[in-house]
């Protein structure tokens, strides 16, 4: 068993499609594996990952880390954004940012978005139904998986509907920062996207200063007093982070949950019989095929993990995809089971950096899954899905589906009119 060969197999097309055998072998044989080429300790058990993520002595790589490890970071707008954002900030900056930004993610605000999520979902499913009429296939990700979270996060932030379409490309380019190894092309795409998004959100804030609304942009401008207020740059970058993190990972979740149910008929039948299981189905999909496969921390002091000495300053990578299939935490971990509950998945991280938008993502997922499978009882795969070529983010680029059991006769104009009248 060559642990490096197992690790690097994850970068192959086969490893991207099914990383779990390699991750299981690593967890069983070398649960704390140091790779000298990547200079990081990979953790693959649930207990170790959860312990590191909740231990504040393990810090996130921030701008201070960049000084030693990414000396040209000032030349990259994307690095300036990413490593200074709440996602990478450490105490005391992280505590201050999270407290102030949290005002925009209260349970009341998330619950208030429920009706908008339902309306947006129904509108997209209307278009999906039209595209798949008469047995035609359509890409679920293109028509629902991506547009829904883009629209929801746009609704949250206050981005007008007409501006949201171009954000899908920009979000995808900015998310190249999540890759553990970034090419020159990754940096160029991320830098360009961050620059364009910063300009957009700066202009949006000028509009909100003149005309406040009930959206996150306004909340962030008004939260705090005096020196406790967020700076303008912090507000801009928080909106940018909310947008990128709020749609890329949620789009991945929607595709994964849909595919998981379609490929597990008994579990799909359970959700069909009890639509209230949709929320548990989403959580189980997040565990079973974790969208964000790993996240990193820096050891502030020397420590020992499972008998392995980790020196101060060492990079530690928590492999969430492996942790979420650890049999010590999840019985029968390779089984997709929508009745599994209380499983405390690490898909939204843990500890101080637990995802602030987790409740909203779960809300979107539950509503989308419930409405999708209720409306289309004959929903089926129409061909092999295609995953994005990404190591850190597992998501489908193409998920071809049909919504009818077979070709239908075209509807007459009268039938179309009747359907419209009934709906109105």
């Amino acid at each position: 068993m060559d642990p490096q060969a197992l690790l690097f197999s994850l970068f192959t097309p086969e490893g991207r499609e099914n990383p779990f055998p390699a991750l299981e072998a690593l967890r069983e044989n070398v649960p704390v594996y140091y790779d000298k080429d990547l200079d990081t300790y990979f953790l693959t058990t649930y207990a170790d990952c959860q312990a590191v993520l909740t231990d504040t002595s393990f810090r996130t790589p921030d701008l201070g880390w960049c000084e030693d490890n990414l000396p040209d970071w000032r030349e990259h707008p994307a690095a300036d954004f990413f490593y200074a954002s709440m996602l990478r900030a450490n105490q005391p900056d992280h505590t201050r940012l999270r407290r102030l930004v949290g005002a925009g993610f209260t349970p009341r605000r998330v619950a208030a978005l429920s009706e908008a999520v339902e309306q947006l979902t129904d509108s997209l499913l209307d278009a999906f139904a039209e595209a798949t009429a008469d047995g035609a296939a359509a890409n679920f990700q293109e028509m629902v998986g991506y547009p829904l979270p883009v629209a929801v996060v746009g609704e949250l932030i206050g981005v007008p509907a007409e501006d949201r379409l171009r954000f899908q490309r920009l979000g995808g380019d900015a998310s190249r920062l999540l890759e553990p190894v970034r090419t020159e092309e990754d940096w160029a795409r991320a830098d360009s996207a961050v620059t364009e998004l910063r300009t957009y959100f700066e202009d949006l804030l000028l509009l909100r200063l003149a005309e406040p609304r009930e959206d996150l942009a306004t909340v962030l401008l008004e939260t705090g007093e005096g020196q406790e207020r967020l700076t303008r740059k912090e507000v801009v970058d928080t909106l940018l982070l909310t947008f990128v993190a709020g749609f890329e990972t949620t789009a991945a979740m929607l595709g994964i949950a849909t595919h998981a149910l379609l490929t597990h008929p008994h579990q799909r039948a359970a959700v069909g019989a009890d639509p209230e299981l949709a929320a548990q189905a989403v959580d189980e999909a997040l565990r079973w095929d974790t969208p964000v496969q790993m996240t990193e921390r820096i050891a502030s002091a020397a420590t020992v993990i499972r008998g392995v000495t980790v020196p101060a300053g060492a990079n530690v990578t928590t492999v969430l995809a492996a942790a979420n299939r650890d049999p010590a935490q999840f019985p029968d971990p390779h089984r997709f089971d929508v009745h599994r509950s209380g499983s405390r998945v690490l898909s939204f991280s843990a500890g101080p950096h637990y995802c602030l938008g987790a409740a909203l993502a779960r809300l979107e997922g539950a509503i989308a899954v419930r409405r999708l499978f209720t409306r289309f009882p004959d929903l089926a795969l129409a061909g092999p899905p295609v995953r994005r070529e990404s190591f850190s983010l597992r998501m489908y680029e193409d998920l071809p589906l049909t919504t009818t059991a077979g070709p239908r006769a075209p509807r007459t104009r009268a039938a179309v009119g009747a359907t419209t009248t009934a709906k109105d």
Side-chain angles (χ1 to χ4, degrees), residues 110-375:
V110 171
L113 284 169
S114 179
E115 184 177 351
V117 174
E118 291 174 350
Q119 292 175 352
L120 290 166
T121 300
D122 288 342
S123 177
L124 291 170
L125 293 183
D126 286 345
F128 192 66
E130 188 67 27
T132 55
D134 307 319
N139 182 356
F140 172 82
Q141 285 297 91
E142 182 180 18
M143 298 200 68
V144 182
Y146 281 113
L148 178 59
V150 169
V152 172
V153 79
E155 192 79 17
L156 171 71
I157 291 173
V159 174
E162 61 270 19
D163 292 344
R164 296 171 188 169
L165 186 59
R166 65 181 175 125
F167 276 33
Q168 181 174 318
R169 173 186 60 82
L170 295 173
D173 286 348
S175 71
R176 303 303 299 174
L177 291 166
L178 296 174
E179 295 300 317
V181 179
R182 301 155 193 158
T183 65
E184 290 185 8
E185 181 187 358
D186 289 335
W187 277 114
R189 289 168 58 184
D191 286 339
S192 177
V194 165
T195 299
E196 187 172 342
L197 286 168
R198 274 178 163 171
T199 298
Y200 179 88
F201 287 125
E202 285 167 356
D203 291 342
L204 179 65
L205 290 180
L206 290 176
L207 293 175
R208 291 298 176 266
L209 285 170
E211 185 181 343
R213 294 186 182 178
E214 288 290 323
D215 55 31
L216 185 62
T218 302
V219 169
L220 295 182
L221 281 172
E222 296 177 347
T223 297
E225 297 180 2
Q227 293 184 342
E228 277 296 299
R229 280 186 181 274
L230 294 168
T231 66
R232 185 65 61 85
K233 180 178 182 295
E234 288 173 336
V235 174
V236 167
D237 282 359
T238 297
L239 294 176
L240 201 165
L241 176 65
T242 300
F243 167 71
V244 173
F247 106 79
E248 278 282 281
T249 52
T250 304
M253 175 191 73
L254 292 173
I256 285 170
T258 299
H259 183 264
L261 286 167
L262 288 174
T263 51
H264 293 81
H266 292 297
Q267 303 302 311
R268 172 188 177 165
V271 174
D274 181 7
E276 293 305 310
L277 281 175
Q280 284 182 209
V282 169
D283 257 16
E284 176 66 348
L286 287 167
R287 183 201 68 80
W288 188 73
D289 199 1
T290 308
V292 178
Q293 291 201 88
M294 58 190 65
T295 188
E296 59 186 331
R297 295 289 186 269
I298 307 297
S300 296
T303 188
V304 176
I305 303 176
R306 207 170 289 270
V308 176
T309 299
V310 177
N315 186 291
V316 177
T317 300
T318 59
V319 186
L320 308 181
N324 280 337
R325 288 209 186 188
D326 185 346
Q329 181 69 21
F330 306 102
D332 197 5
H334 301 303
R335 172 178 167 79
F336 177 73
D337 182 2
V338 300
H339 290 96
R340 196 188 301 264
S341 62
S343 55
R344 297 169 59 199
V345 298
L346 294 181
S347 308
F348 292 108
S349 191
H353 285 270
Y354 181 78
C355 178
L356 202 56
L360 180 57
R362 283 187 164 109
L363 175 71
E364 289 179 61
I367 289 173
V369 165
R370 185 166 57 245
R371 279 170 141 69
L372 176 68
F373 285 93
T374 298
R375 179 164 180 176

Side-chain angles (χ1 to χ4, degrees), residues 355-405:
C355 178
L356 202 56
L360 180 57
R362 283 187 164 109
L363 175 71
E364 289 179 61
I367 289 173
V369 165
R370 185 166 57 245
R371 279 170 141 69
L372 176 68
F373 285 93
T374 298
R375 179 164 180 176
F376 304 117
D378 294 320
L379 191 71
L381 288 169
V386 178
R387 291 189 189 270
R388 175 186 290 187
E389 290 188 8
S390 170
F391 179 66
S392 65
L393 188 62
R394 285 177 64 76
M395 70 186 306
Y396 292 107
E397 290 282 6
D398 187 358
L399 186 58
L401 305 180
T402 57
T403 58
T404 59

